[in-house]
Amino acid sequence: MVTLYSSPSTHSSGPVASYSNSSIGLYNYHHNKQIAVSSILSRKFGSLQINQKPFWNAVRMQDGAVAIPPSKIENETPLKKLKNGISPVAPPKEQKDTIDFDSNKAKSTVSITVVGASGDLAKKKIFPALFALYYEGCLPEHFTIFGYARSKMTDAELRNMVSKTLTCRIDKRENCGEKMEQFLERCFYHSGQYDSLENFAELDKKLKEHEAGRFSNRLFYLSIPPNIFINAVRCASLSASSAHGWTRVIVEKPFGRDSESSAALTRSLKQYLNEDQIFRIDHYLGKELVENLSVLRFSNLIFEPLWSRQYIRNVQFIFSEDFGTEGRGGYFDHYGIIRDIMQNHLLQILALFAMETPVSLDAEDIRNEKVKVLRSMRPLQLDDVIIGQYKCHTKGDVTYPGYTDDKTVPKDSLTPTFAAAALFIDNARWDGVPFLMKAGKALHTRRYSKEIPDAYERLLLDAVEGERRLFIRSDELDAAWSLFTPVLKELEDKKIVPEYYPYGSRGPIGAHYLAARYKVRWGDLV
């Protein structure tokens, strides 16, 4: 949830108007809330002409603001919109080098290897996303998918495992079953250790058999714990890189625990890969609502002139889950809610929201503006942070366990499951405007009733096509960690005890005092 609150209008008359606060709330279209606002606008970004299609998210407007009537929305699936070019972008240099060759599709192929194929992320997200891309015809004509993990498994066993998670959720056509069978026939498995050059060399032989002499491009998705990233990258780079085409690696978060560990991870990755081969994935940036922030900001003449401290009093980013760790606390306890959600997901959205107009829609121009915003921000202070941890709570006949009741969590853990923070951007546009973040588990409500369906599909498609706008660059990651590392270190060194809040509540009382300090209230309380 992203909410903007404006300063009282100086042009309104009457006591009520002079003290009212305008607000704009962004909602996902699945909820069918408020008024759908759509516009077909054209705007030049550098040398690119953009004809923006209507966006599907609803925008709430109060205090008499005029909403443009919704225009007719084409009956297109999200993936068709991606393929048809909803966001026209000039292809990056790496992609331009292969365009002429790839025009002859019979001579090129893409091999996608999911490293850690037996894990939950691969089963629940990555393989279903790849099938969705195939179902909509977004993958190249010639492609192969390999699962790679330490588990012993045959091709048939992999296909059986994957088939249980595939759905034709976009539109249930009559050929759904046929499409699944065709997709599964393209899926294969290779068992190996993540630190074995020999095992990756064996994978390379299998990939070459399926590539059958075609011009080969290879994508590796690292769906594995961060402590084995480097081993897998080293082996894939040295033993299984493409000899002629591109080789790219998608890296899942967490990207370290602080500035030092993040920098060390980046240095290690760059021993074997160039920066343009590394795709650091943040699936929140693939959500349609986040994508539409740029549309709302830069392609809408209503909002662009108002997007500054003169008209916006505060900006809020709210992440809410109505469930706890419940048996999955081992990973979470090592990171906590600030590292898990705020330092990456919410800060990335903030950068997209607050950045200046990029020179063009080229990936590097957009990422340059995001880095400028992050470098303009004050390092987070302990006084501007509230942390909490959920405790046991009984409601009716149901008892909900506390965080430390989870058997995978130490009984004396001080890891926060909730955090609220006030951040500031020291530049001319946003000087003095508090950017309030709030994120927590085991709260009273959830932001999304279910995962936005096309987030992973969008990012996987971008990685295949070499589009880097929604992936995190190393200097961007450094700037993000520099904001949070000092306060994280202080919290841990001083062993700050989190404020306890009941499972299913609105979180710690301290979060309300934090907002009140800046004379605002949290948007989800309205």
Side-chain angles (χ1 to χ4, degrees):
M1 179 177 184
V2 182
T3 307
L4 296 74
Y5 291 93
S6 76
S7 300
S9 172
T10 57
H11 302 289
S12 303
S13 60
V16 176
S18 63
Y19 287 98
S20 64
N21 291 323
S22 300
S23 66
I24 303 169
L26 305 185
Y27 294 84
N28 183 267
Y29 70 93
H30 289 293
H31 298 289
N32 298 317
K33 290 185 178 179
Q34 305 299 332
I35 304 170
V37 178
S38 52
S39 57
I40 303 177
L41 300 172
S42 297
R43 180 181 177 93
K44 283 208 176 231
F45 284 83
S47 60
L48 294 176
Q49 181 74 28
I50 299 175
N51 295 311
Q52 181 60 50
K53 294 183 180 179
F55 55 90
W56 289 6
N57 294 307
V59 178
R60 180 181 64 187
M61 307 185 71
Q62 296 176 345
D63 296 344
V66 179
I68 303 171
S71 59
K72 184 178 180 181
I73 297 176
E74 298 176 11
N75 184 22
E76 287 188 282
T77 64
L79 293 178
K80 278 188 176 179
K81 289 167 65 181
L82 297 181
K83 189 180 180 185
N84 293 339
I86 189 170
S87 301
V89 178
K93 291 181 181 179
E94 180 187 25
Q95 192 176 354
K96 283 182 178 177
D97 294 339
T98 61
I99 283 177
D100 291 337
F101 203 105
D102 286 348
S103 62
N104 186 351
K105 294 183 178 180
K107 294 183 180 179
S108 65
T109 184
V110 173
S111 299
I112 302 171
T113 301
V114 181
V115 182
S118 59
D120 280 349
L121 178 64
K123 289 186 287 188
K124 295 177 180 178
K125 299 294 183 185
I126 303 172
F127 281 108
L130 289 170
F131 172 64
L133 291 174
Y134 173 72
Y135 186 79
E136 286 295 311
C138 294
L139 291 179
E141 180 182 356
H142 297 286
F143 74 91
T144 303
I145 297 173
F146 258 87
Y148 184 101
R150 291 175 294 202
S151 306
K152 297 295 182 182
M153 199 184 308
T154 64
D155 292 345
E157 288 171 332
L158 173 76
R159 291 166 184 167
N160 181 59
M161 178 190 77
V162 170
S163 66
K164 296 175 182 177
T165 63
L166 302 186
T167 62
C168 297
R169 55 162 179 74
I170 301 174
D171 54 5
K172 297 184 181 298
R173 299 180 195 163
E174 294 180 359
N175 66 345
C176 175
E178 181 183 348
K179 281 280 190 180
M180 282 188 183
E181 289 300 319
Q182 293 171 356
F183 174 78
L184 291 171
E185 288 174 1
R186 306 274 194 113
C187 295
F188 302 89
Y189 186 77
H190 183 72
S191 175
Q193 299 297 315
Y194 299 126
D195 59 352
S196 171
L197 289 169
E198 182 182 353
N199 291 161
F200 273 89
E202 293 166 355
L203 171 67
D204 179 63
K205 290 180 182 178
K206 290 186 178 181
L207 292 176
K208 286 177 178 175
E209 290 176 7
H210 291 279
E211 290 162 352
R214 296 186 182 93
F215 188 84
S216 63
N217 300 304
R218 295 182 180 179
L219 176 67
F220 293 86
Y221 196 122
L222 301 188
S223 178
I224 52 179
N227 62 311
I228 51 178
F229 278 172
I230 305 306
N231 286 334
V233 167
R234 179 179 66 89
C235 295
S237 176
L238 298 178
S239 296
S241 288
S242 172
H244 306 290
W246 51 255
T247 299
R248 298 172 185 149
V249 177
I250 296 179
V251 183
E252 271 280 352
K253 75 174 185 73
F255 314 118
R257 294 189 77 252
D258 49 29
S259 293
E260 184 178 352
S261 58
S262 174
L265 177 61
T266 295
R267 286 194 301 269
S268 298
L269 288 174
K270 288 186 176 180
Q271 291 181 31
Y272 308 104
L273 301 170
N274 297 322
E275 176 64 33
D276 62 4
Q277 292 179 282
I278 304 170
F279 287 70
R280 299 174 185 86
I281 192 170
D282 184 337
H283 70 276
Y284 260 65
L285 298 185
K287 294 182 185 295
E288 187 178 7
L289 182 62
V290 176
E291 275 283 87
N292 284 336
L293 274 176
S294 299
V295 177
L296 180 71
R297 168 90 183 274
F298 299 120
S299 298
N300 199 314
L301 299 179
I302 295 175
F303 297 114
E304 170 56 17
L306 307 177
W307 218 267
S308 71
R309 63 188 178 88
Q310 281 81 16
Y311 298 97
I312 296 175
R313 191 173 71 179
N314 73 95
V315 183
Q316 299 179 15
F317 301 87
I318 298 173
F319 175 94
S320 177
E321 289 182 336
D322 60 357
F323 53 89
T325 55
E326 282 129 22
R328 303 181 302 276
Y331 160 82
F332 184 86
D333 197 68
H334 187 59
Y335 292 96
I337 198 73
I338 297 177
R339 292 183 177 92
D340 195 46
I341 300 297
M342 297 178 74
Q343 183 273 337
N344 42 73
H345 297 327
L346 298 189
L347 192 62
Q348 284 293 311
I349 299 171
L350 183 154
L352 282 171
F353 179 93
M355 71 181 187
E356 297 296 322
T357 306
V359 174
S360 75
L361 288 184
D362 181 78
E364 295 312 303
D365 288 332
I366 291 174
R367 297 200 290 186
N368 286 342
E369 294 302 329
K370 289 170 66 182
V371 171
K372 288 179 185 178
V373 169
L374 295 175
R375 287 178 174 170
S376 299
M377 296 181 70
R378 302 177 202 167
L380 197 55
Q381 302 297 315
L382 188 60
D383 287 345
D384 279 325
V385 177
I386 299 295
I387 60 171
Q389 187 185 98
Y390 67 88
K391 63 181 180 180
C392 177
H393 178 62
T394 300
K395 186 176 181 180
D397 296 331
V398 180
T399 297
Y400 298 93
Y403 176 67
T404 54
D405 294 329
D406 186 331
K407 294 180 179 179
T408 62
V409 173
K411 292 298 181 183
D412 59 350
S413 174
L414 299 179
T415 299
T417 61
F418 176 99
L423 298 98
F424 294 88
I425 302 173
D426 291 330
N427 62 18
R429 182 184 292 272
W430 299 113
D431 185 41
V433 176
F435 284 73
L436 301 175
M437 285 185 182
K438 183 169 70 169
K441 289 182 172 292
L443 297 176
H444 70 293
T445 187
R446 190 172 179 179
R447 172 61 186 94
Y448 294 109
S449 59
K450 58 182 179 180
E451 177 72 18
I452 298 299
D454 63 336
Y456 275 93
E457 288 97 310
R458 174 62 186 258
L459 294 168
L460 277 164
L461 183 60
D462 281 356
V464 169
E465 295 185 346
E467 170 52 55
R468 298 176 178 82
R469 283 184 306 153
L470 300 180
F471 293 90
I472 304 168
R473 204 167 61 189
S474 59
D475 56 345
E476 190 178 344
L477 186 62
D478 292 342
W481 272 119
S482 68
L483 295 173
F484 282 90
T485 294
V487 76
L488 285 167
K489 189 174 188 305
E490 193 171 1
L491 285 168
E492 291 170 355
D493 288 349
K494 293 182 178 179
K495 299 188 184 314
I496 302 295
V497 178
E499 180 183 341
Y500 297 102
Y501 62 96
Y503 192 118
S505 69
R506 291 182 179 271
I509 298 297
H512 305 294
Y513 286 111
L514 177 66
R517 188 187 308 170
Y518 300 101
K519 300 179 181 179
V520 299
R521 62 185 299 184
W522 291 104
D524 58 344
L525 301 181
V526 178

